[in-house]
Amino acid sequence: MKKQLWFAVLLIALGCGSKNNSEVEKAPVGEISAEVEKEKPSKSIQNCTSRLDGAIYEFQSDPNYPEEKFTLRFTCSEDTLKGEIIGPAPAGEHGLFYFYANLDSLRTDGKNSLEFQFAQGKLYQGQITLDNYEKLKEEDASGISKGKIYFKGAIAGDSLIFKCTSQYYDCYVDEMVFRLKK
């Protein structure tokens, strides 16, 4: 029964045009991510999918805080899907830091399932963007985070819906919906 519900929700989400995300926004993210977590892709591959090649997705929990935006970028290299993530790393009383990391163990079933892991690595005080990450210098780093963060989810229309888990409570939030950048 749950598989039928998951399939129905996925069909509804995929039926949404890229101009209207209202159905994806109304989808029960907790239920979707719980189902995705239970089911492993039957055959994980790393082959590139044209659907993700060159795609940039963003997650921002609150538009009033643009400095707390996450960016995912995917590219194909020699028929292998590669990715990188840029985002904030809140450090409690120490303030807000930023990181850039390559995605490790990036896997897709070639359809809708997507998962990866990464460590935030070097942490910087200045906001990192796609325009300035290549200029980062090691000596400018203010710290380091080595804990692994795991994202597992699905492609739904023009969104990526992930459940985040980590070794040391490093997830910004447990469930994240990244939207395709227009």
Side-chain angles (χ1 to χ4, degrees), residues 10 33 170:
L10 188 58
S33 59
D170 289 326

Side-chain angles (χ1 to χ4, degrees), residues 2-39:
K2 285 187 178 185
K3 284 185 180 183
Q4 291 170 337
L5 176 62
W6 163 247
F7 185 69
V9 169
L10 188 58
L11 282 177
I12 291 169
L14 290 175
C16 295
S18 61
K19 296 191 189 276
N20 183 354
N21 300 353
S22 61
E23 290 300 317
V24 174
E25 290 172 4
K26 293 177 187 173
V29 176
E31 290 177 24
I32 291 173
S33 59
E35 288 299 316
V36 169
E37 186 166 342
K38 288 179 189 174
E39 295 182 20

Side-chain angles (χ1 to χ4, degrees), residues 37-62:
E37 186 166 342
K38 288 179 189 174
E39 295 182 20
K40 289 252 183 214
S42 57
K43 182 180 178 187
S44 291
I45 58 174
Q46 288 188 331
N47 289 346
C48 199
T49 170
S50 62
R51 188 176 190 177
L52 292 173
D53 186 23
I56 298 172
Y57 290 85
E58 295 178 336
F59 168 80
Q60 190 165 4
S61 64
D62 187 339

Side-chain angles (χ1 to χ4, degrees), residues 52-159:
L52 292 173
D53 186 23
I56 298 172
Y57 290 85
E58 295 178 336
F59 168 80
Q60 190 165 4
S61 64
D62 187 339
N64 294 320
Y65 298 99
E67 68 278 3
E68 294 186 27
K69 176 173 53 178
F70 287 81
T71 303
L72 276 171
R73 179 167 55 182
F74 297 97
T75 56
C76 286
S77 176
E78 299 177 15
D79 199 34
T80 299
L81 183 62
K82 296 186 183 276
E84 53 201 354
I85 187 167
I86 297 169
E93 71 270 3
H94 300 292
L96 187 62
F97 292 91
Y98 299 90
F99 70 92
Y100 163 85
N102 288 311
L103 305 181
D104 299 323
S105 304
L106 179 56
R107 291 190 300 251
T108 179
D109 64 0
K111 296 177 185 171
N112 295 320
S113 171
L114 183 65
E115 62 185 91
F116 55 84
Q117 66 183 14
F118 64 94
Q120 292 173 335
K122 293 184 178 27
L123 302 174
Y124 298 86
Q125 289 184 334
Q127 187 174 6
I128 301 172
T129 66
L130 289 174
D131 295 328
N132 71 7
Y133 79 95
E134 292 177 331
K135 299 173 188 167
L136 295 175
K137 297 179 183 166
E138 255 186 70
E139 60 268 14
D140 293 337
S142 298
I144 191 164
S145 176
K146 295 182 181 181
K148 289 286 185 182
I149 299 174
Y150 306 92
F151 277 41
K152 186 171 185 173
I155 303 168
D158 65 351
S159 299

